[in-house]
Amino acid sequence: MKVDIMHIAKLSRLKIEEEQIPKFEKDVENILSMVQNLPELDDNGALIDPDNPMTLREDKAEQNFKRDELLKNAPATKAGCVVVPKVVE
């Protein structure tokens, strides 16, 4: 499967050097082929190990970020808010 790394980089706003493109293409193709070869799982839970149950952590929202720190990753801001395209007329 051929992967357009530059298109993915543009969508994800990543800067990739020209000489890194072949390496990333090979890595992504390997990941995709691995995912395509994963076995299908049924819904009966046969692969769940009763001796080793999964324990999930409790989610905690931490608000240790400053607004300026969060907004520096936004493509466009105005008056301390993220600017998004208008979707409703």
Side-chain angles (χ1 to χ4, degrees):
M1 173 184 286
K2 186 70 175 154
V3 178
D4 185 359
I5 293 297
M6 292 311 291
H7 181 66
I8 293 171
K10 180 181 176 186
L11 292 174
S12 57
R13 298 178 188 267
L14 294 174
K15 186 177 182 180
I16 296 179
E17 303 297 328
E18 240 358 90
E19 61 271 3
Q20 293 178 320
I21 293 174
K23 179 193 179 303
F24 282 117
E25 282 178 344
K26 182 180 176 209
D27 290 346
V28 171
E29 288 171 5
N30 288 340
I31 291 168
L32 291 176
S33 68
M34 180 195 67
V35 170
Q36 288 175 342
N37 293 329
L38 288 174
E40 292 294 323
L41 300 177
D42 53 8
D43 293 336
N44 67 7
L47 295 178
I48 296 174
D49 185 2
D51 296 330
N52 297 308
M54 238 185 348
T55 55
L56 302 176
R57 64 170 171 77
E58 180 183 338
D59 285 334
K60 296 179 184 177
E62 297 179 12
Q63 297 181 2
N64 297 332
F65 300 106
K66 303 259 187 255
R67 179 183 291 255
D68 295 337
E69 192 177 331
L70 294 173
L71 291 178
K72 71 180 178 184
N73 293 320
T77 60
K78 184 175 183 180
C81 299
V82 176
V83 177
V84 297
K86 184 177 180 181
V87 293
V88 178
E89 294 291 329

